[in-house]
Amino acid sequence: MIIGICGLGLIGGSFARAYSAAGHAVLALESNRSVLFQAVKAGVVQGLLTKRSASSCDLILICLYPQAAVEFLESFGPFFGPVPLVIDCCGTKRALTQEGMSAAQRHGFTFLGGHPMAGTQYSGFAHSRANLFRGAPMVIVPPEGADQALLDRVKAVLSPAGFGCLTVTTAQRHDQI
């Protein structure tokens, strides 16, 4: 698989390490050039996630703060195409999921809200690790009317991260909890 990751902090960096360790190609977009250089030098990232390369990805993980995630979706959304699953990894869902679903409908890609329930007291790529998600739950907010085939696809593309379970919910329920 080819995995696109936007943001190489603790969460994005850990996804990059997990997928790279499992033998998948990782393309990344990171505003801090030093962090991107570290990830490439460590062999965790094999190339840049660009508007041109985005449509070649099987999965795109957005590991940014909510407003930056919305800006990324607006900028890159027209270039995703129908192939990649696009999943945000933000801690709140309602506003971002509405924006993501709207962008997906306008541009013809599949968007899901996501929240990996893992982390540490530390942040940044330097503290990321390939096993951060091993055994942890992943919360998924699928589009309305999602079928089992989509959920099976999500489970398959997320399997290299090692989540213990996937929990499906609504954005409202997620934020309430």
Side-chain angles (χ1 to χ4, degrees):
M1 286 190 295
I2 300 174
I3 310 303
I5 300 176
C6 183
L8 290 174
L10 177 67
I11 300 300
S14 293
F15 272 121
R17 289 181 190 277
Y19 281 97
S20 183
H24 301 287
V26 175
L27 307 178
L29 177 63
E30 170 56 52
S31 61
N32 184 326
R33 291 299 204 203
S34 172
V35 169
L36 185 59
F37 178 76
Q38 289 173 354
V40 170
K41 187 176 177 184
V44 173
V45 169
Q46 289 73 44
L48 293 177
L49 176 61
T50 64
K51 290 176 180 174
R52 187 174 185 159
S53 67
S55 64
S56 69
C57 295
D58 298 289
L59 172 66
I60 296 175
L61 296 164
I62 306 171
C63 304
L64 302 170
Y65 291 111
Q67 185 55 44
V70 169
E71 291 167 10
F72 172 77
L73 284 167
E74 288 303 317
S75 177
F76 273 65
F79 302 94
F80 291 149
V83 174
L85 291 178
V86 180
I87 302 175
D88 87 86
C89 297
C90 298
T92 59
K93 293 284 139 256
R94 195 172 303 165
L96 180 55
T97 301
Q98 286 175 341
E99 292 287 338
M101 299 294 180
S102 176
Q105 190 171 40
R106 284 192 316 276
H107 302 299
F109 63 90
T110 302
F111 176 85
L112 297 98
H115 187 180
M117 303 303 290
T120 71
Q121 70 270 30
Y122 303 107
S123 62
F125 182 77
H127 298 286
S128 65
R129 57 182 200 264
N131 66 353
L132 181 69
F133 307 114
R134 187 83 41 218
M138 174 68 164
V139 177
I140 297 292
V141 178
E144 202 170 299
D147 61 8
Q148 189 60 46
L150 175 60
L151 297 176
D152 290 344
R153 186 173 167 215
V154 169
K155 185 176 181 179
V157 298
L158 289 176
S159 67
F163 289 104
C165 66
L166 297 181
T167 301
V168 178
T169 190
T170 65
Q172 293 77 9
R173 181 74 177 135
H174 171 275
D175 289 354
Q176 187 179 45
I177 292 171

